[in-house]
Amino acid sequence: MLGRSEEAQAEARKAYATERTKPWHRALPDSDDALRAATRAAATAQARTAEHLLAVRLEQLRTQARPEPARPAPWSQRLPGLAARPLNDDATRAVIA
């Protein structure tokens, strides 16, 4: 699917055109060798572009999958809430005894 994307198709067209204008193909730009080389260059460019798009998409998914770790509130903000909680029976007996 990524190989058929607009970006991959555009890269394939550019590679095909570039290969056909190479100096060693200028004499016979429509020869079998020139067309075969251009087709091979287009397929390679299309595959590499698809691989790049896949890598970019996977990185986006990894970033979404691991959100920024939530930092706990500093102790100065957590201690008043902890101090206001009532002690359980065992702790109350230990303080009284």
Side-chain angles (χ1 to χ4, degrees), residues 54-95:
L54 178 61
V56 168
R57 182 64 182 141
L58 287 174
E59 184 57 35
Q60 290 171 345
L61 291 173
R62 281 188 200 104
T63 302
Q64 290 174 359
R66 58 180 145 90
E68 290 291 322
R71 294 184 143 225
W75 280 108
S76 60
Q77 293 176 359
R78 287 190 280 167
L79 286 177
L82 294 173
R85 292 182 0 196
L87 296 174
N88 63 21
D89 291 336
D90 293 336
T92 305
R93 280 190 229 122
V95 172

Side-chain angles (χ1 to χ4, degrees), residues 1 3 19 23 25-26 34-35 59 61 66 73 77 83 89 96-97:
M1 190 168 135
E19 186 65 32
H25 296 305
R26 283 194 188 141
L35 295 176
E59 184 57 35
L61 291 173
R66 58 180 145 90
Q77 293 176 359
D89 291 336
I96 294 174

